[in-house]
Amino acid sequence: MTRRKVSGLWAGVVLVAYAAAGSLAPVSLAAQTAGGDPAVAAVGAAGGETERAAHRALVDRYCVTCHNDGVVSGRDRPRSALVSQLRGVGLTLDTLDLAEVGRHAGEWEKVVRKLRGGVMPPAGRPRPDATELEGFLTWLEDELDRAWAVTRDPGRTATFHRLNRTEYRNAIRDLLAVEIDEVDFLPADDASFGFDNIGGILRMSQSLMERYLDAARTISRLAVGSPPPAVAADTYEAAQDLPQHGRVEELPFGTRGGLYVEHLFPRDADYDVRVELTGTRNLTENHDLEVTVDGEPVKLVTLGPAPDGAPDNPYAQASIIDFRVPVTAGPREVGVTFFKKPSALVEQVREPFPNPRVAGNTGGLAGRQPFVRSVTIAGPYGGTGVAETPSRERIFSCRPAGGGDESACAHDILSNLARRAFRRPVAPDDDELGVLLDFYERGRSGGTFEDGIELALRRLLVSPEFLYRVAAEPEDLEPGTPYRLSDLELASRLSFFLWSSIPDDELLDAAERGRLSDPAELERQARRMVADPRSETLTTNFAAQWLQLRNLETTVRPGDPFSVAFDESLRQSMLRETELFVDSIVRNDRSMVELLTADYTFLNERLGDHYGLPGVAGSHFRRVELPAADPRRGILGHGSILTLTSHAIRTSPVLRGKWILDNLLGTPPPDPPANVPALNDQRTQAKRPTVRERLEAHRDNPACSACHAMIDPTGFALENFDAIGRWREVDESFNPIDPSGVLPDGRAFDDVAGMRQALVADPEQFVTTVTEKLMTYALGRGLDYYDMPSLRRIVRGASEDDYRIQSVILGIVASDPFLMRRSQS
């Protein structure tokens, strides 16, 4: 690996240049304000002493009572459960000197977070007035920012950062034009700080290396188009609770139900297709089933009454349809669906339920109907070769005309692939390229030219330079010295932030020419990448983890009254609503505050009916303006959030309150103590107490009251939404809902609209929380106290542009933690 060399003289020149350009903040505030005049400096120092004394008095009055060395060390007897918890926090403010804030920046940043979040002083304790508190916080943040400006510590990311499986899938797509399902190849990654792309925990084990080897073998064969070692069969199953009365989103209009799959056919050959059906017995009329490949019909089957009533119908009540069809190699869209009949309720229907557990019988939307259960594709049989596929066009940049041209062509192909895969230029004498050429020769000696390329590609896909993002430190740096990333390292960091994938040719070209060191070019590239469709990963990867949407995939509602209404179609619709909503915020560069206040959302008919919003017809999603004063404004009204923060049989103000504190306010509560009993959900009488009343009894436990007094009141605001996000005025026992509550800083509200207004009255805390989550995701590490000055600078810069989300993204890209790295201590 090539290491960059930076001499001590050149490092000094760089620092001087930064200072001359204003990038390094002044070390001494007195020198800045006094202009070097000793008399003025003395007056400023005296004023500073007076200000510090006032702030010291505030800390002593409102904080030191609990946060002192005696309580934390255990010498003093705790007076409450809350005070006893402080021993685990370890924050002693009586021993910290306000004249040297920078020496204890980590402790003071904790103070800033607690005070900004309004969680300290705790509820029931005396608090300073808002003006006095804001003055102290402003002064404290300024002192912390000045202290950071002396060292400009950018933090340190992992030296070896393995790609997680989402990044691996996207890298394969962009490198080879092959779409894979990463779940089939790699296990789930560990997560930390709320995300699964944290470099410090993405380790390699022997079993994981074996999975990468198996994946490389399969992917290289698919990409090149080599014959598979044996006939393979892939089965695609429809979810058991997926309704099939309406059109599937990707299938043609005028159809109902079925399955849409994207399947990669490895060779030009014949393939067996098996369609398994359910509900085919005792049919009273014909139902036409069509199978298509890339939209072209390849099979039409008519299901119908028993053979006695229709002797010419060979399929009649068949539950399995088998046939063989020739298909050209490459990724193909396979559709299996029924022609839709006119919607008409049967006579005995009183209320149509969309869930197939109800609608699949004679009391359904249109009587008894057959459904598709699964589709199996097996092959290839009798292959005739391989046509030009997107992956072959991507790989084979040249075609050897004869045996003498093969080595030069292989060199060209592997150089191009290695450059993209390793995210750097590859010289003709590069050691890693030499290894790939050795593997090519080995494969070519026992087979064809394409066999050699396949074996070399297999080796490339397990190369450490492909599987890892490696941060190579410049030589001769003093330990703990900040340094700027190279343009190539910056290109990788930018592409994995915005695309969760490798850089494209344009970004890589700019990095190779050293143009990313120009802030204007860096901003231009970032804007271009956000506008690219691949930036959808900011929604499907970042937002899905920040909002915990991935938990919705395993959410179940097994009991009444939710099992009838909650099914796979509703789950998918909820998830898609939030994805489209967040994606629209990013692509249209809307204010981050709109995540809470938007008067629109994205609905299809299934979700519109669930929300009680009329006039939304069809399975496709579209933007829908919400009625005035609708309680569903912003993500707090999304069924996805409301469902994943509930229990299986009831709502949970605790889960919802914790979700709000962690993801919207940035003040996550501590983990609960061991052996805390759950609420008793057994129904022992016709009308049981409300969840609020049961939680009040729960808070009588001193070990629980300190945290639940902060958690529960925010969760109560969402009690008008049941466990699957439907609006209600009374609970399951017909008790009136009381959605009033109070934020941690003491501001009261009457309902969810009041809480939303309180959250956006001072949007900086919400924007700071989202920015911190986004910055954690961008850097691939958790943020620490030395990152907080950069975080504040990003948020303040975005405030001048109405907190538009692309301003935040560009602020992160231009920040020191993103552009720089600290050498090993």
Side-chain angles (χ1 to χ4, degrees), residues 296-309:
E296 296 296 326
V298 297
K299 189 70 173 179
L300 180 62
V301 174
T302 299
L303 305 172
D308 292 342

PDB file of all heavy atoms in Angstrom, residues 296-309:
ATOM      1  N   GLU A 296     -43.733  -9.287 -21.304  1.00  0.00           N
ATOM      2  CA  GLU A 296     -44.246 -10.064 -22.423  1.00  0.00           C
ATOM      3  C   GLU A 296     -44.892 -11.349 -21.909  1.00  0.00           C
ATOM      4  O   GLU A 296     -44.267 -12.101 -21.150  1.00  0.00           O
ATOM      5  CB  GLU A 296     -43.121 -10.408 -23.402  1.00  0.00           C
ATOM      6  CG  GLU A 296     -42.500  -9.195 -24.077  1.00  0.00           C
ATOM      7  CD  GLU A 296     -43.498  -8.470 -24.964  1.00  0.00           C
ATOM      8  OE1 GLU A 296     -44.363  -9.156 -25.564  1.00  0.00           O
ATOM      9  OE2 GLU A 296     -43.415  -7.227 -25.067  1.00  0.00           O
ATOM     10  N   PRO A 297     -46.145 -11.641 -22.313  1.00  0.00           N
ATOM     11  CA  PRO A 297     -46.811 -12.867 -21.838  1.00  0.00           C
ATOM     12  C   PRO A 297     -46.086 -14.121 -22.323  1.00  0.00           C
ATOM     13  O   PRO A 297     -45.704 -14.226 -23.494  1.00  0.00           O
ATOM     14  CB  PRO A 297     -48.210 -12.775 -22.454  1.00  0.00           C
ATOM     15  CG  PRO A 297     -48.377 -11.335 -22.832  1.00  0.00           C
ATOM     16  CD  PRO A 297     -47.015 -10.820 -23.169  1.00  0.00           C
ATOM     17  N   VAL A 298     -45.873 -15.076 -21.426  1.00  0.00           N
ATOM     18  CA  VAL A 298     -45.274 -16.360 -21.789  1.00  0.00           C
ATOM     19  C   VAL A 298     -46.191 -17.524 -21.442  1.00  0.00           C
ATOM     20  O   VAL A 298     -45.965 -18.648 -21.901  1.00  0.00           O
ATOM     21  CB  VAL A 298     -43.905 -16.555 -21.093  1.00  0.00           C
ATOM     22  CG1 VAL A 298     -42.909 -15.513 -21.552  1.00  0.00           C
ATOM     23  CG2 VAL A 298     -44.048 -16.524 -19.572  1.00  0.00           C
ATOM     24  N   LYS A 299     -47.239 -17.261 -20.637  1.00  0.00           N
ATOM     25  CA  LYS A 299     -48.169 -18.331 -20.278  1.00  0.00           C
ATOM     26  C   LYS A 299     -49.485 -17.712 -19.813  1.00  0.00           C
ATOM     27  O   LYS A 299     -49.482 -16.760 -19.038  1.00  0.00           O
ATOM     28  CB  LYS A 299     -47.591 -19.206 -19.154  1.00  0.00           C
ATOM     29  CG  LYS A 299     -48.385 -20.466 -18.858  1.00  0.00           C
ATOM     30  CD  LYS A 299     -48.275 -21.488 -19.968  1.00  0.00           C
ATOM     31  CE  LYS A 299     -48.932 -22.807 -19.611  1.00  0.00           C
ATOM     32  NZ  LYS A 299     -48.849 -23.805 -20.706  1.00  0.00           N
ATOM     33  N   LEU A 300     -50.607 -18.291 -20.312  1.00  0.00           N
ATOM     34  CA  LEU A 300     -51.932 -17.874 -19.883  1.00  0.00           C
ATOM     35  C   LEU A 300     -52.708 -19.116 -19.488  1.00  0.00           C
ATOM     36  O   LEU A 300     -52.861 -20.047 -20.282  1.00  0.00           O
ATOM     37  CB  LEU A 300     -52.665 -17.121 -20.992  1.00  0.00           C
ATOM     38  CG  LEU A 300     -54.079 -16.635 -20.657  1.00  0.00           C
ATOM     39  CD1 LEU A 300     -54.038 -15.627 -19.504  1.00  0.00           C
ATOM     40  CD2 LEU A 300     -54.745 -16.011 -21.880  1.00  0.00           C
ATOM     41  N   VAL A 301     -53.176 -19.136 -18.261  1.00  0.00           N
ATOM     42  CA  VAL A 301     -53.872 -20.290 -17.699  1.00  0.00           C
ATOM     43  C   VAL A 301     -55.240 -19.838 -17.209  1.00  0.00           C
ATOM     44  O   VAL A 301     -55.365 -18.768 -16.605  1.00  0.00           O
ATOM     45  CB  VAL A 301     -53.072 -20.914 -16.542  1.00  0.00           C
ATOM     46  CG1 VAL A 301     -53.862 -22.021 -15.869  1.00  0.00           C
ATOM     47  CG2 VAL A 301     -51.749 -21.446 -17.050  1.00  0.00           C
ATOM     48  N   THR A 302     -56.257 -20.650 -17.454  1.00  0.00           N
ATOM     49  CA  THR A 302     -57.598 -20.353 -16.966  1.00  0.00           C
ATOM     50  C   THR A 302     -57.980 -21.356 -15.893  1.00  0.00           C
ATOM     51  O   THR A 302     -58.016 -22.572 -16.149  1.00  0.00           O
ATOM     52  CB  THR A 302     -58.627 -20.400 -18.107  1.00  0.00           C
ATOM     53  OG1 THR A 302     -58.283 -19.421 -19.089  1.00  0.00           O
ATOM     54  CG2 THR A 302     -60.025 -20.105 -17.587  1.00  0.00           C
ATOM     55  N   LEU A 303     -58.210 -20.860 -14.701  1.00  0.00           N
ATOM     56  CA  LEU A 303     -58.714 -21.679 -13.605  1.00  0.00           C
ATOM     57  C   LEU A 303     -60.224 -21.541 -13.583  1.00  0.00           C
ATOM     58  O   LEU A 303     -60.772 -20.487 -13.915  1.00  0.00           O
ATOM     59  CB  LEU A 303     -58.129 -21.222 -12.273  1.00  0.00           C
ATOM     60  CG  LEU A 303     -56.605 -21.174 -12.191  1.00  0.00           C
ATOM     61  CD1 LEU A 303     -56.173 -20.528 -10.887  1.00  0.00           C
ATOM     62  CD2 LEU A 303     -56.022 -22.567 -12.312  1.00  0.00           C
ATOM     63  N   GLY A 304     -60.900 -22.581 -13.168  1.00  0.00           N
ATOM     64  CA  GLY A 304     -62.348 -22.493 -13.195  1.00  0.00           C
ATOM     65  C   GLY A 304     -63.020 -23.576 -12.396  1.00  0.00           C
ATOM     66  O   GLY A 304     -62.403 -24.211 -11.521  1.00  0.00           O
ATOM     67  N   PRO A 305     -64.303 -23.844 -12.696  1.00  0.00           N
ATOM     68  CA  PRO A 305     -65.073 -24.845 -11.952  1.00  0.00           C
ATOM     69  C   PRO A 305     -64.499 -26.242 -12.152  1.00  0.00           C
ATOM     70  O   PRO A 305     -63.573 -26.474 -12.928  1.00  0.00           O
ATOM     71  CB  PRO A 305     -66.476 -24.705 -12.548  1.00  0.00           C
ATOM     72  CG  PRO A 305     -66.496 -23.374 -13.208  1.00  0.00           C
ATOM     73  CD  PRO A 305     -65.101 -23.128 -13.684  1.00  0.00           C
ATOM     74  N   ALA A 306     -65.088 -27.184 -11.457  1.00  0.00           N
ATOM     75  CA  ALA A 306     -64.651 -28.579 -11.541  1.00  0.00           C
ATOM     76  C   ALA A 306     -64.769 -29.091 -12.972  1.00  0.00           C
ATOM     77  O   ALA A 306     -65.566 -28.581 -13.760  1.00  0.00           O
ATOM     78  CB  ALA A 306     -65.492 -29.435 -10.600  1.00  0.00           C
ATOM     79  N   PRO A 307     -63.989 -30.097 -13.356  1.00  0.00           N
ATOM     80  CA  PRO A 307     -63.992 -30.582 -14.735  1.00  0.00           C
ATOM     81  C   PRO A 307     -65.364 -30.976 -15.258  1.00  0.00           C
ATOM     82  O   PRO A 307     -65.635 -30.842 -16.437  1.00  0.00           O
ATOM     83  CB  PRO A 307     -63.059 -31.793 -14.663  1.00  0.00           C
ATOM     84  CG  PRO A 307     -62.155 -31.505 -13.518  1.00  0.00           C
ATOM     85  CD  PRO A 307     -62.982 -30.769 -12.524  1.00  0.00           C
ATOM     86  N   ASP A 308     -66.260 -31.460 -14.371  1.00  0.00           N
ATOM     87  CA  ASP A 308     -67.585 -31.833 -14.843  1.00  0.00           C
ATOM     88  C   ASP A 308     -68.321 -30.647 -15.440  1.00  0.00           C
ATOM     89  O   ASP A 308     -69.082 -30.789 -16.397  1.00  0.00           O
ATOM     90  CB  ASP A 308     -68.408 -32.418 -13.693  1.00  0.00           C
ATOM     91  CG  ASP A 308     -67.854 -33.765 -13.246  1.00  0.00           C
ATOM     92  OD1 ASP A 308     -67.086 -34.364 -14.028  1.00  0.00           O
ATOM     93  OD2 ASP A 308     -68.164 -34.184 -12.115  1.00  0.00           O
ATOM     94  N   GLY A 309     -68.089 -29.462 -14.864  1.00  0.00           N
ATOM     95  CA  GLY A 309     -68.762 -28.289 -15.384  1.00  0.00           C
ATOM     96  C   GLY A 309     -68.022 -27.664 -16.539  1.00  0.00           C
ATOM     97  O   GLY A 309     -68.594 -26.889 -17.291  1.00  0.00           O
TER      98      GLY A 309
END
